[in-house]
Amino acid sequence: MSGNIHLHWYLPTNGDSRGLTGSGNDSHVVKFSGGFRAPTLSYLGEVARAAEEQHFHAVLTPTGTWCEDAWITTAALSQETKRLKFLVAFRPGLISPTLVAHQAATFQRMTGGRLLLNVVTGGDRFEQARFGDHLDHDARYERTEEFLSVMRGVTSAAADQPFSFKGKHYDIREASIDPTPYDLPQIFFGGASPAAQEVATAQADVYLVWGRPPALEAENIAQLKARAAAKGRSLRFGVRLHVITRDTEDEAWAVADKLLTSLSPDHVQKARELLAKSESVAQSQMSALHTHREGLPASARELEIHPGLWSGYGLVRGGAGTALVGSHAQVADLIEAYHSAGFDHFILSGQPHLEEAWHFGEGAAALLKARGRLAPVFP
């Protein structure tokens, strides 16, 4: 299993900050703290170049009305970088699958094959409604599977034998998109519900989760691998985590303690009320890490749910709610533990994203590289 860890970083297209709030899908609910950095092309370029200078394969962009458009932002940043890939998140129900296939083929040719796709079905019915999408949870995943079937179909169809598809949600007639000289980009996909897992085992290349303890995720991976194999497919796995890595364990936990000081019980309560409205099963799993707790803990260590795994982000942030916290060696060891559980892709982030990319890159990532654990990064 050595030499197969792919490290990715997060691109804060909603802006950045030194606090737990202000650079995620929470800042429309609670005010950011600690100094806000606007998501300008200049600043995002700094983050992307830092990721490229370190050991990261790609940067993930979020998607939603609360951040900049991922396609436009990454197209611009592709000209600010040389080899870094872009994991572009998008919502499949809001755009034609043939058009996405066309955009992907163009992006690949314009950047030298530097695109990855993150398909986000959407677990927030209120946000979906802003776009005029009113399907229920399971119907959205049913539509996603049709969407991915069309994407794969139109990019593998010959020009003289175009692809047609008639489903419940799409009626595609005689379409063909030529992706040469590249293939369709790898498809990253997440979702913890049975409907989501059905799509993942049938269509995804990499199945993404938000980080729970490695042993718990290992059970899930074994089940999903078996289900994909029964469909004649192989499935790889990725985990989305925050990270706080320093020269010593005490220094790292001191940073986590400082992050807590920027919060108030009101921040936590407002976030809890918002996240309770989500239809996402994965979000429910993250929120469940705190259902027993009221208010703020006295120290960050009170939210350590596994050695080196901290659930503090989930107090006020939707999505990934856990972080790897510790010395560079401890964080590298924990990443190896996740790798042993079955994860090849690690999508990481930290506050602020520019500085933390260097902390992690020069620390834990450098150790993983020295141990021969990282997959090669090619120009």
Side-chain angles (χ1 to χ4, degrees), residues 76-129:
L77 289 173
S78 71
Q79 304 307 297
E80 302 275 328
T81 52
K82 296 178 180 179
R83 63 94 186 153
L84 189 71
K85 292 188 177 183
F86 296 93
L87 180 49
V88 173
F90 70 95
R91 300 185 186 277
L94 310 178
I95 189 170
S96 158
T98 307
L99 178 55
V100 169
H102 191 189
Q103 289 177 321
T106 299
F107 198 113
Q108 289 283 71
R109 285 190 285 267
M110 294 295 176
T111 64
R114 293 197 282 146
L115 178 65
L116 304 168
L117 296 175
N118 180 27
V119 177
V120 182
T121 297
D124 183 344
R125 67 183 184 278
F126 301 104
E127 182 171 25
Q128 295 299 122

Side-chain angles (χ1 to χ4, degrees), residues 150 154 157 161-166 171-175:
V150 172
V154 299
Q161 293 182 311
F163 176 81
S164 296
F165 178 93
K166 177 68 173 178
D171 183 1
I172 305 297
R173 304 178 188 182
E174 298 188 344

